Every structure is written in C-alpha cells, then in structure tokens.
Amino acid sequence: MRLAAALLVLLPCAGSAGADSGWRRESVDLSRFELLRQFVLPDVDDQNARSLSPAGQAIALSPGDGSIRLVDTRQGGELRILKGHTADIHDWAWSWDGRLLATSAMDGSVRVWEVETGKTLASVFAHAGYSCSVAFSPDGRRFAAGGSSEGTVKIFEAVGGTPVLTFEPPARATWGLGYTGDGKSLVGYHPDGVLRVYNSADGSEVKSFDSGMGRAIGASFSRDGRLMAYPSPEGEIVILDTTAWAEKRRLAGHARGTFRLLFHPNNRAVASAGVDGLVRLWDIDSSRMLKALAEPLVGDCRMAFGSDGLSLVVISGRFVRVYGRK
C-alpha cells in the first residue's frame, strides 16, 4: 500500500494553556467558508503518498522512488526535492512548527529533514522490515517510530537519531502515532482498532479506547493540548479531555463513517472528512455543524488550517482546494 497506513494529524502547539484567549470567536466565522481556489497537482496519481504541512503552506509528495517533492500550495510550484530514501515513503510526520519533516520508508529507514535546507538531521533503522508510523514531540526535539511487524515503539532524538526509549505495545503493529500537546503522552493506533495512550517517559499504558478508525485515518489534538478527537465505530466524533482522558462531547460526524479529523487553531472547532464525500466544520461547545463543504474525496485526504485559522486546505487525490471567507 503506497498511501501512509495511518497518520495522526498534529498541529503547531500554542504554547501555554491559555494561548487561545486572544482568539475572538466572531473573527473566524467558519459558517461563511467557501471555495477560494483550487488546482491540480501535476504528474501525480491517486496512489502517490502525500502529506500536508501543519499550516498548509506545503505538500510533500512521494513519486514512488524514495524521493520527496515539496510543493507550494499557493501556486503549485515545486519548492525542493529531498533525496536519501531508496524506496517508497510509507508514513510522514511534521514537527508542530513545520520546520522538520520525518519520513519512514519501505527501505527500513526513518529520516528527519530540515525542510528549509533539505538537510538530513537523523537517519535510523528503527525496526526490522520498516517503521509503520512516525510522530514528533511538541518541541520537535524527539520523534517516535512504531513498528510494522516487530511490534515495538521507539523514541529517538530528532538531531542525530540517538535512541531514547523502547517499549512494546500489546498489539504487534502501530499504524499511527501522535503526541499530546504537553508531550507527556503518546497515542498509538493499532490493528485491533484500539487507541492506546502511553506515558512518553516510560511507555506504560495509561488509557485505551475502542475506535472506529480504518487503515487511513487519524486522531487529532487541539493546539492547546487539552482535547483529542477520534471517530467512534458509528462514525460520530468523540471529543476527549486529555487531562483525565474523559469524554467531553460527541458530534454527529458522518453517517457512512468519519475518516479524518482536524482541530481549528482556536481549539473551539473541528473539521471532519467523511466517506460521504463531505468536509464538515463543527462548533465543539454547542455540538453544532457550522458548514458542510462538498468534496469529491479520493482515498485518504489531508487537511490543514492556516496558522491564522482563516483558511482550510484540503488535498484529495490530485486536487488541492483552499477554503475561506471571500
């Protein structure tokens, strides 16, 4: 499978717990979002692996030969080519500030790239076979890699690749990984359909949740680190308080299944992509759907809000669409 098996979508960390206090609800009216522009990625087919930077400025594409093309989402032009892997990319992770990109490939290696320069900061062979998933800690100093057949999760220093911790989840593979905003917990998604929360300091299991997620789905974390969202088996959107790992809210989601979630930078709204081909925008406090954006979704889409929260970039197949207020 050339698309990433699972990608837990991470957003830049806002820093302090009260960092959303400067947001004014009326300044970002998601109910008024409309299609602003779109373009087609050249020389890309629906099976090319792809990833979107946290603020949506760049797309990373894998043409299948191990190289990585970075494409500007504003104009569609190529920014840079990263070379080092010798086989196709399996999973991606961006640091929360978008400066670093980690990639796991079918050649068995995991690499950390400095996006601006294209320099390789670390290259490790974390697992037998290949690493199924990768994720950055919120400060970008460490990355975690989950095994495909070996069954371990390993944490490394982002610069130099020095090993920090190895632990073994109950399931044999880790399809997706993501850190909470405070960096204290690491959430893994496994083939048994269970989301497990691990203490990132020692790997001990803290909590587990039954999930309705398939092979190309991810959980999402709010920028202030207080909330996590994941789809229930019924396609609803479950909002959790990460302090106590208790359920806070359920949103209607998508009747045929919800397969991608993304928090707005103000931590009060969430975007969802469904099997019904729609992207929906939700207000968390009221559980109200604010807007439904018609999207002919192809395969595993990617979404990113702009850093100011005034735009939403959606990649689906070869199409890149940017939404916002006209």
Side-chain angles (χ1 to χ4, degrees):
M1 185 177 65
R2 298 179 67 184
L3 284 174
L7 176 66
L8 285 106
V9 180
L10 302 179
L11 290 171
C13 184
S16 66
D20 66 337
S21 60
W23 285 90
R24 293 186 303 158
R25 186 182 297 270
E26 63 271 22
S27 68
V28 184
D29 186 355
L30 299 181
S31 67
R32 296 176 61 185
F33 268 30
E34 299 178 43
L35 181 64
L36 300 179
R37 64 182 183 277
Q38 64 179 332
F39 64 89
V40 176
L41 293 168
D43 304 320
V44 173
D45 62 45
D46 294 340
Q47 296 303 309
N48 287 126
R50 68 208 67 197
S51 182
L52 187 58
S53 66
Q57 308 101 318
I59 306 164
L61 299 169
S62 171
D65 60 359
S67 66
I68 299 163
R69 292 172 53 201
L70 297 180
V71 177
D72 182 0
T73 56
R74 291 165 296 184
Q75 304 295 332
E78 191 171 275
L79 298 172
R80 188 169 290 104
I81 297 179
L82 309 178
K83 294 185 177 181
H85 289 297
T86 58
D88 202 3
I89 308 301
H90 186 76
D91 197 21
W92 321 70
W94 296 80
S95 63
W96 289 31
D97 58 11
R99 294 186 303 106
L100 305 179
L101 174 65
T103 53
S104 67
M106 303 302 290
D107 60 10
S109 67
V110 179
R111 287 177 174 263
V112 176
W113 310 86
E114 187 176 54
V115 175
E116 184 176 355
T117 65
K119 179 182 177 181
T120 299
L121 301 181
S123 180
V124 300
F125 288 85
H127 299 97
Y130 63 93
S131 298
C132 207
S133 53
V134 285
F136 275 106
S137 62
D139 59 11
R141 294 180 179 179
R142 294 178 175 179
F143 70 92
S148 53
S149 58
E150 181 183 320
T152 59
V153 172
K154 298 182 179 181
I155 298 176
F156 301 87
E157 297 288 347
V159 178
T162 302
V164 175
L165 176 69
T166 297
F167 64 93
E168 189 167 354
R172 289 296 300 167
T174 303
W175 283 351
L177 283 172
Y179 276 89
T180 54
D182 57 11
K184 295 180 179 179
S185 299
L186 185 62
V187 180
Y189 175 56
H190 305 283
D192 58 5
V194 175
L195 276 169
R196 291 184 173 88
V197 182
Y198 304 101
N199 184 315
S200 61
D202 60 17
S204 59
E205 187 173 321
V206 177
K207 195 83 173 180
S208 64
F209 308 93
D210 185 22
S211 169
M213 302 197 304
R215 287 184 64 87
I217 309 176
S220 180
F221 299 93
S222 63
R223 293 194 182 191
D224 62 5
R226 295 175 178 175
L227 302 175
M228 183 181 88
Y230 73 92
S232 75
E234 298 76 30
E236 296 174 306
I237 301 167
V238 182
I239 308 293
L240 296 175
D241 178 345
T242 60
T243 303
W245 294 106
E247 185 173 317
K248 177 182 176 70
R249 193 88 69 237
R250 284 198 176 219
L251 311 178
H254 301 257
R256 294 169 56 193
T258 301
F259 67 85
R260 180 68 61 184
L261 294 167
L262 176 68
F263 276 94
H264 189 272
N266 67 8
N267 310 308
R268 299 171 182 152
V270 67
S272 64
V275 180
D276 55 9
L278 297 176
V279 171
R280 293 179 174 176
L281 305 176
W282 306 85
D283 178 80
I284 295 173
D285 290 339
S286 66
S287 302
R288 183 169 62 94
M289 187 182 73
L290 301 173
K291 185 80 172 184
L293 308 172
E295 276 283 337
L297 300 174
V298 178
D300 184 22
C301 80
R302 295 287 187 267
M303 301 187 293
F305 281 108
S307 57
D308 57 5
L310 298 177
S311 62
L312 174 67
V313 181
V314 180
I315 305 176
S316 177
R318 297 179 61 194
F319 292 92
V320 179
R321 297 179 175 90
V322 181
Y323 295 91
R325 290 174 54 178
K326 289 186 176 179

